Amino acid sequence: MDRYTDRIVKLFRYLKEEKHETIISAQILRSGTSIGAYLAESRNAEGPKDFVHKLKIALKEADETYYWLEKLYGGGYIEERGFSSMASDNDEIIKMLVASVKTMKTKYNFDK
C-alpha cells in the first residue's frame, strides 16, 4: 500500500508542477492517500464490525480514486501508460478490500 500511496503523491506533484492542475490533483491526493490511512486505522479497530467499517470506507476511497484517474486520463493530464499502471494497482487494492470485507462478513456472520 505504501508504494501506491507514494505513487499518488508523485502524481499529485507532477500534476501541480508540470501540468498546473489544481482541482483534480487535490481530489486524487485526498482519496488516494485516504485508502492507506483507513487501512492503518483498521489495525486499531474496536472490534470486527469497526474493522469492516474502516475497510469499507477504504474501498469507497479506492473507487473514488479510480474515478479521478479516469478524469485525468480523459482530460489529457496523464498518458495511457500511466493511467493503465495506476488503474491496475488501484484495481488490485479494490479486489483485496472486497475479498477482506467478504471474508470478515462470512467469519462473523455480518449482514445476513
Side-chain angles (χ1 to χ4, degrees):
M1 188 67 225
D2 287 340
R3 181 179 157 268
Y4 183 76
T5 303
D6 292 346
R7 290 184 74 196
I8 290 289
V9 171
K10 287 176 183 175
L11 176 59
F12 168 77
R13 289 178 61 201
Y14 166 77
L15 292 168
K16 293 272 294 185
E17 294 170 7
E18 301 295 323
K19 297 291 188 172
H20 307 288
E21 199 296 314
T22 58
I23 305 300
I24 298 175
S25 61
Q27 293 285 38
I28 200 163
L29 178 68
R30 186 201 53 75
S31 66
T33 57
S34 290
I35 303 165
Y38 280 107
L39 289 175
E41 279 188 44
S42 74
R43 291 192 297 261
N44 296 302
E46 295 177 9
K49 285 189 177 184
D50 188 40
F51 180 76
V52 168
H53 177 72
K54 290 185 182 353
L55 292 183
K56 286 171 131 181
I57 296 171
L59 179 58
K60 288 178 182 181
E61 296 294 339
D63 282 337
E64 181 181 339
T65 300
Y66 186 80
Y67 173 82
W68 293 123
L69 285 169
E70 287 182 314
K71 298 304 127 200
L72 289 167
Y73 176 60
Y77 288 103
I78 57 176
E79 301 294 325
E80 182 177 359
R81 182 174 175 220
F83 168 74
S84 295
S85 178
M86 291 292 292
S88 177
D89 286 353
N90 196 74
D91 190 47
E92 290 302 313
I93 291 167
I94 288 172
K95 288 177 185 176
M96 177 207 59
L97 289 168
V98 167
S100 296
V101 168
K102 284 181 181 179
T103 298
M104 290 297 291
K105 284 182 172 185
T106 299
K107 182 177 180 177
Y108 291 98
N109 201 25
F110 295 158
D111 296 334
K112 293 225 172 181

